[in-house]
Amino acid sequence: MSLQRKKIQFIVFVLLLATACKEDIPIEEALPVQMPISQDVNAGDWQTVMDYDYLSNSSIPMPADINSATYRAELDLLVETSNATTVEQQSRVDFWGAGGVMRWNQLLRKLVAKYNLPLPVGSIPDPEKPVASPPFAARAYALLSVGQHDALIAAWKLKYSVNRPPPDMSEPLIKRSLPLTNLPSFPSEQAVIAGVSKKILTALFPFEKANIESIAIEHLNTIGWGGTGTESDIIAGNLLGDEVANIILARAKTDRMALARDPEKTYLDYFDIDVATVPNPWMSISDPPTDPLLPMFGRVKTWSDSTEVFSALPPPPPMVGSVAFEEDIANVYHIAKNRSREQWRISDYWADGAGTYTPPGHWNQIAEKLIIGSKWSEVRTARALSLINRAMLDSGILCWYAKYKYYVPRPSQINPDIKTSTGIPNFPSYTSGHSSFSASAGTILGYLFPDQKENLISQYVEAGDSRVYGGIHYMFDNIEGRKSGILIGELIIENALSDGADD
Amino acid sequence: MAQKIALYPYIVMFLFTQFSMSQGPLDGFLKGQGNIVTAISFSHESFDRYYVGNQGTINRNLGTIGTNSANLFVAGGLTEYLDLVLTLPYISTSASEGFWSDQHDFQDIAVYLKGSLFKLTVPDQSQLQLLAAVGVTTPLTDYIADAPVSIGNQSTQIETRLIGHFKSIKGIFVTSQFGYIKRNNITLDREFEISVPDAWDYVLRTGGSYKKLYVDGWFQYQNSRSGTDIGPGVPFPSNEIDYTRVGFTLYHPLPLMNHFGISLGAAFTLNGKNIGDSNRISGALIYEFSTKKSAPQNKKSS
């Protein structure tokens, strides 16, 4: 055998080895264990979103004294549990140690992505398995965030009125495996988060009940494994979370979301749309034509005062055929014909279409990166998410109202030569949902993280522009959506300035 | 001279799109040191039916997906035992319905080394040869990987193949090759990393190689080891792509033009998973020459 053949055999062998290597992509996002700079001692006095006194109406039993035999027994149990923690359990303690509020927000994003799939044409939605479209998702993120926010404010108030010290201060044999804080331990804030989040997510995604419950149980278990709370801390926290969720869900029942799908097409009457006489009304350009998405979502109850929200309603758009309209659609056509790779990348990056977190979820992800770096308490994290998600829901509602009030066709309906780099949403064009959601969330985040403001503005501008680059929106959809998003953001900030958190 | 042409048959049909990959540019023949084959091929492929998982589907919002490609192919013998093969396709694809943008660009450059491991000559002068090949395929341009209409998956891949080649004294041959294609992860425009499934590939080819004619028929089975089904929001490059295809190739030297030949081929999809149910025709112009001063001898290694 010649030397050459030996060489060939050697090369083949090396390459076979190389091809055997596997590239793993982690399923769970690794986040650092949080060590808050401040515990926000006064957060119990912050204003809740719901005008409701959760603690006066609560059935939480008052805790046993730390010198009582009852509490002594709890401490002894925790000594045992916390010293028997396995390596696997410790990894779950660290997972949740990154922040319960953020972890449940991530879980909701995953559920939204899982359920954000269009229904097969002609099928009737199963209430157990909702379609997590952007409007549905915006409402879901807001419900979870408001629930977490209000529940943690109530928890903080109770913590600092009971003032039970962390268990390992009373019993040094307890093995705390998370950083020590001086946050009073009754009720456990992690149990509060688990209780409120589990209940709200189960109501939103009934089919996921068992899955969500097992995640909540794990979350609660990590409190004992990590030695950060006793049984009564956990029971009280879980119960408080559950009670707050009930109040939030009662509001959700009556917020008119149930009417948004509108299969009887009452929206045509409501918005006075006569398809026969309106010149150039929106039409479904998918094959077969499909009913538009949630036409009555614009009537869903806003978190801010609805009169103030609707004062930001965009003006009527240029009429199809007008000079302004022709100039705008010529611009969309020009972009579609000459779309650069960078414009394509931008339209893909912000598309957040089927099977993703949706645009509101994308902005929760952007918020997450900023929040993780800022070492906030759980309650301050919840406030940030409550602000951006209420802003996105309110601006989304306003945007949807405009879409059906003005009923503007997509660019490709008017000019079928406009080819797109992203799917054409099956609902009217004006204003852009992406611009509305993004500008409202970005405006709020600019208030929360002033040193990031310029960067956030360029991100929400890019998110809105991405839809014009994609060929599915006019620039006037984008500009007006952005304007109203900024106005809604500013409206929410105005109220946030007096909620007590900045004092 | 005619004798010489019969020594260098090769396969020149390629199509590398989102939905279809070729049956591979490698055959069982070695070129011999200094002998070089170049080809420009053109092919057209289309489908209106595709498989979502194993389920055949027609999407009226895409209509017929049509793909045209031009491919440069170069194969040359570095030594008597080792060939270098290079392919470079330019691809253009579009959907007849709906509003997705057309795509066209240079796709992936592929470079292979193919060498002989051993050869056995049986008493009647028939030959049995075992060859191995390794190849690297990598995108040349930043084309779109994650869209219903696209030209490739942007994954850099390494493949290894074992090729068994039997050639009888009467020109009949059978080539059986088995390969493993390792595909690297890619990062989408959406800025997350996804896995592109690896695949096993098997090709059986048989035919005749004569003075004025080369003809073959082939069968190919490719199976991804894992992956997703086509679905809303599922990144296309992560799809598990399996298929069974058959096809044929004809080659004839051009009269009055030394060194030139033309080929014609067709391919048909029998079934698949997450791939277009496509058929393809292709044609090629081939030019072959030797860097050696004199015409090569009638080599036994061919």
Side-chain angles (χ1 to χ4, degrees):
Chain A
M1 189 170 286
S2 73
L3 187 62
Q4 265 179 339
R5 288 200 193 177
K6 279 191 178 159
K7 268 189 196 162
I8 293 167
Q9 283 168 339
F10 177 72
I11 291 168
V12 169
F13 178 72
V14 168
L15 276 145
L16 277 170
L17 276 183
T19 57
C21 303
K22 202 162 172 280
E23 310 144 281
D24 282 325
I25 299 172
I27 300 165
E28 273 179 351
E29 195 181 347
L31 293 175
V33 169
Q34 288 291 289
M35 287 173 282
I37 293 165
S38 157
Q39 288 302 343
D40 289 310
V41 177
N42 298 320
D45 298 327
W46 294 359
Q47 197 184 322
T48 52
V49 174
M50 298 292 287
D51 186 14
Y52 186 80
D53 187 348
Y54 298 103
L55 290 180
S56 306
N57 294 300
S58 174
S59 60
I60 296 177
M62 281 316 281
D65 187 82
I66 55 167
N67 298 314
S68 67
T70 322
Y71 189 59
R72 184 66 244 172
E74 284 189 38
L75 291 174
D76 289 345
L77 185 63
L78 192 56
V79 170
E80 213 172 294
T81 314
S82 64
N83 282 289
T85 303
T86 64
V87 174
E88 170 59 18
Q89 287 168 344
Q90 183 57 43
S91 80
R92 305 319 294 163
V93 171
D94 293 341
F95 173 85
W96 289 100
V101 165
M102 208 38 103
R103 288 301 189 189
W104 281 97
N105 182 277
Q106 285 181 342
L107 176 66
L108 174 54
R109 276 182 264 149
K110 282 185 184 167
L111 287 170
V112 164
K114 182 176 174 184
Y115 282 84
N116 175 19
L117 300 175
L119 282 179
V121 174
S123 58
I124 292 166
D126 175 352
E128 296 276 301
K129 300 175 184 175
V131 178
S133 61
F136 175 96
R139 175 173 172 270
Y141 292 122
L143 288 170
L144 177 67
S145 301
V146 169
Q148 290 176 337
H149 172 256
D150 279 14
L152 284 170
I153 289 176
W156 247 249
K157 193 162 189 79
L158 193 51
K159 274 175 181 290
Y160 284 97
S161 64
V162 173
N163 265 317
R164 178 188 273 181
D168 53 323
M169 285 191 180
S170 307
E171 174 48 75
L173 287 177
I174 290 169
K175 193 179 159 204
R176 165 185 283 273
S177 54
L178 287 173
L180 180 62
T181 74
N182 53 5
L183 188 66
S185 71
F186 182 94
S188 159
E189 74 283 358
Q190 294 304 322
V192 170
I193 297 165
V196 70
S197 305
K198 179 192 89 172
K199 187 132 199 180
I200 290 174
L201 293 198
T202 305
L204 289 165
F205 299 96
F207 191 72
E208 297 290 329
K209 189 171 195 276
N211 181 19
I212 293 166
E213 270 172 6
S214 73
I215 289 165
I217 286 168
E218 179 192 89
H219 188 188
L220 293 175
N221 282 338
T222 59
I223 300 166
W225 296 337
T228 55
T230 64
E231 201 179 339
S232 57
D233 298 334
I234 296 169
I235 290 171
N238 197 30
L239 182 60
L240 177 59
D242 191 81
E243 288 173 348
V244 172
N246 284 338
I247 304 301
I248 305 295
L249 291 173
R251 180 197 185 275
K253 273 214 169 74
T254 58
D255 69 357
R256 294 188 287 273
M257 184 67 180
L259 306 172
R261 194 170 71 85
D262 192 23
E264 278 80 43
K265 299 189 170 59
T266 64
Y267 76 95
L268 292 171
D269 276 343
Y270 182 85
F271 290 103
D272 201 16
I273 300 164
D274 183 348
V275 182
T277 58
V278 173
N280 301 299
W282 173 85
M283 283 187 315
S284 174
I285 50 174
S286 56
D287 187 2
T290 318
D291 288 345
L293 181 67
L294 303 178
M296 291 297 263
F297 182 73
R299 293 278 298 134
V300 168
K301 193 172 171 187
T302 55
W303 284 103
S304 300
D305 178 82
S306 65
T307 313
E308 290 185 73
V309 169
F310 276 81
S311 69
L313 185 71
M319 291 282 286
V320 176
S322 67
V323 174
F325 180 88
E326 291 303 331
E327 277 176 10
D328 200 308
I329 197 169
N331 174 49
V332 180
Y333 178 76
H334 178 80
I335 289 169
K337 273 280 173 205
N338 305 288
R339 185 179 294 118
S340 69
R341 184 65 184 86
E342 176 63 4
Q343 286 172 328
W344 193 301
R345 183 195 68 75
I346 291 168
S347 87
D348 254 0
Y349 177 75
W350 293 103
D352 298 316
T356 71
Y357 298 165
T358 73
H362 194 157
W363 280 93
N364 277 269
Q365 194 178 14
I366 291 168
E368 173 185 298
K369 292 205 171 74
L370 296 169
I371 290 168
I372 291 293
S374 63
K375 300 187 177 178
W376 280 350
S377 65
E378 291 281 18
V379 65
R380 190 167 288 274
T381 297
R383 172 178 178 261
L385 294 175
S386 158
L387 292 173
I388 67 164
N389 286 313
R390 276 183 285 144
M392 284 195 282
L393 181 67
D394 286 1
S395 65
I397 288 168
L398 186 63
C399 166
W400 241 250
Y401 191 92
K403 280 181 183 294
Y404 291 89
K405 177 178 171 64
Y406 300 121
Y407 222 51
V408 174
R410 294 277 169 178
S412 298
Q413 181 188 328
I414 301 296
N415 180 357
D417 289 336
I418 294 175
K419 302 289 184 188
T420 68
S421 60
T422 191
I424 304 177
N426 190 54
F427 43 83
S429 198
Y430 182 80
T431 60
S432 159
H434 276 61
S435 309
S436 306
F437 289 130
S438 301
S440 62
T443 301
I444 303 269
L445 289 173
Y447 148 70
L448 294 169
F449 302 95
D451 59 328
Q452 291 293 315
K453 195 169 175 178
E454 292 308 309
N455 179 24
L456 287 158
I457 290 172
S458 68
Q459 285 193 74
Y460 72 63
V461 168
E462 185 180 277
D465 288 349
S466 78
R467 309 305 273 173
V468 183
Y469 296 158
I472 62 165
H473 268 297
Y474 310 97
M475 193 51 98
F476 61 72
D477 297 338
N478 175 26
I479 302 285
E480 292 301 331
R482 186 197 304 162
K483 272 190 200 165
S484 61
I486 292 169
L487 287 172
I488 301 298
E490 286 170 347
L491 173 64
I492 302 254
I493 291 168
E494 199 182 303
N495 294 317
L497 289 172
S498 57
D499 71 2
D502 287 341
D503 298 348
Chain B
M1 198 52 69
Q3 176 70 26
K4 182 181 142 201
I5 289 168
L7 288 173
Y8 310 119
Y10 35 74
I11 308 309
V12 282
M13 301 180 311
F14 310 100
L15 200 120
F16 302 72
T17 70
Q18 184 74 53
F19 290 114
S20 79
M21 300 275 176
S22 87
Q23 81 281 11
L26 300 179
D27 58 26
F29 297 90
L30 284 170
K31 303 288 168 279
Q33 187 170 13
N35 296 320
I36 298 172
V37 171
T38 59
I40 296 281
S41 66
F42 299 92
S43 72
H44 175 76
E45 160 165 0
S46 74
F47 64 88
D48 51 15
R49 184 167 172 272
Y50 60 95
Y51 297 98
V52 174
N54 292 311
Q55 192 71 40
T57 306
I58 286 178
N59 185 339
R60 284 153 61 186
N61 292 297
L62 288 173
T64 301
I65 305 265
T67 300
N68 293 310
S69 62
N71 188 67
L72 173 68
F73 170 94
V74 181
L78 300 177
T79 73
E80 293 301 316
Y81 301 111
L82 191 65
D83 278 9
L84 182 78
V85 179
L86 179 146
T87 69
L88 171 57
Y90 182 91
I91 298 179
S92 167
T93 186
S94 61
S96 67
E97 302 297 325
F99 299 94
W100 281 97
S101 265
D102 305 349
Q103 298 293 322
H104 48 86
D105 215 330
F106 283 99
Q107 193 221 31
D108 303 335
I109 187 166
V111 180
Y112 300 84
L113 280 174
K114 181 177 74 177
S116 170
L117 297 181
F118 74 82
K119 185 165 69 176
L120 212 63
T121 304
V122 290
D124 74 343
Q125 295 298 305
S126 296
Q127 286 176 359
L128 186 62
Q129 194 167 17
L130 184 66
L131 304 100
V134 295
V136 176
T137 305
T138 196
L140 267 183
T141 60
D142 195 16
Y143 60 81
I144 314 297
D146 187 21
V149 178
S150 74
I151 63 170
N153 62 22
Q154 281 287 354
S155 173
T156 292
Q157 59 186 49
I158 298 173
E159 66 181 274
T160 51
R161 284 178 186 273
L162 272 180
I163 304 170
H165 183 65
F166 170 80
K167 197 183 92 172
S168 83
I169 192 75
K170 291 180 176 169
I172 303 289
F173 70 88
V174 179
T175 310
S176 172
Q177 53 174 293
F178 185 68
Y180 184 77
I181 305 165
K182 155 95 189 139
R183 300 198 175 104
N184 282 352
N185 292 354
I186 63 165
T187 302
L188 302 178
D189 283 351
R190 302 188 237 165
E191 287 187 5
F192 60 84
E193 187 183 355
I194 59 158
S195 164
V196 182
D198 298 351
W200 295 105
D201 187 61
Y202 178 73
V203 184
L204 181 69
R205 189 192 308 277
T206 183
S209 175
Y210 305 104
K211 286 182 183 178
K212 298 215 166 182
L213 181 69
Y214 167 90
V215 56
D216 77 20
W218 53 264
F219 168 92
Q220 182 188 21
Y221 175 66
Q222 186 168 113
N223 191 329
S224 300
R225 298 171 63 211
S226 58
T228 56
D229 284 343
I230 294 172
V234 178
F236 288 97
S238 68
N239 290 158
E240 176 184 351
I241 292 179
D242 304 339
Y243 54 84
T244 308
R245 291 216 175 101
V246 292
F248 65 83
T249 317
L250 295 168
Y251 168 82
H252 195 278
L254 280 178
L256 308 177
M257 289 182 75
N258 283 342
H259 307 295
F260 283 92
I262 52 166
S263 82
L264 186 72
F268 309 92
T269 303
L270 299 183
N271 60 52
K273 193 168 183 183
N274 301 307
I275 194 165
D277 186 7
S278 65
N279 297 323
R280 176 179 71 215
I281 56 163
S282 57
L285 177 67
I286 294 113
Y287 173 66
E288 44 90 22
F289 60 97
S290 176
T291 57
K292 287 183 172 175
K293 288 192 178 88
S294 58
Q297 302 303 303
N298 186 359
K299 278 181 296 296
K300 283 164 270 169
S301 66
S302 61

